[in-house]
Amino acid sequence: QVQLVESGGGSVQDGGSLRLSCAASGISFSIYCLGWFRQAPGKEREGVAAIDGGGGTSYDDSVKGRFTISKDSAKGTLYLQMNVLKPEDTAMYYCAAVSTPRFYCPRLVPQNYNYWGQGTQVAVSS
């Protein structure tokens, strides 16, 4: 009964900021690992960031220092704050969760995540 719904995507200029949200239901934020992935045309879906049950985070090298993943357990919402956006960040962004409750996140690859939202488009122009 896990459901994930992304929102907050849009079009921004190079160097701009955007905050994505993912409303989650059927997930205990204290034991599930949550993540953000993205997929650009012609590219494989790739991991962006993850946050574990205890709030520990991990990021792909391409977004370190620019993106911040966070969660509001009370609201059941996952966030991705994206700053200093670049054209190469243009992609469909998905929030995801691991099906098995766990404290620490597995490797940030799509194969390790089981529940997915429908995606929200982010476009960054030069």
Side-chain angles (χ1 to χ4, degrees):
Q1 303 302 312
V2 175
Q3 198 160 32
L4 306 172
V5 182
E6 303 96 332
S7 62
S11 299
V12 297
Q13 294 287 326
D14 189 359
S17 298
L18 205 60
R19 188 181 77 161
L20 306 183
S21 297
C22 174
S25 61
I27 299 175
S28 174
F29 277 30
S30 66
I31 59 175
Y32 278 82
C33 181
L34 305 169
W36 286 98
F37 292 78
R38 65 187 181 186
Q39 188 166 23
K43 296 182 65 178
E44 299 272 320
R45 187 170 297 187
E46 62 180 10
V48 175
I51 185 165
D52 62 35
T57 60
S58 60
Y59 299 89
D60 183 78
D61 288 341
S62 66
V63 305
K64 285 182 179 177
R66 299 189 298 120
F67 291 11
T68 302
I69 187 171
S70 63
K71 60 182 180 181
D72 185 328
S73 297
K75 292 183 177 180
T77 304
L78 177 71
Y79 302 99
L80 183 67
Q81 179 65 48
M82 305 184 292
N83 298 323
V84 197
L85 283 161
K86 306 173 181 179
E88 51 263 44
D89 294 318
T90 296
M92 183 71 75
Y93 282 71
Y94 302 88
C95 61
V98 177
S99 63
T100 303
R102 58 191 296 164
F103 190 82
Y104 297 107
C105 292
R107 285 194 307 118
L108 193 59
V109 295
Q111 298 93 310
N112 287 332
Y113 287 74
N114 313 100
Y115 300 116
W116 297 85
Q118 82 289 348
T120 185
Q121 183 67 49
V122 171
V124 186
S125 60
S126 300

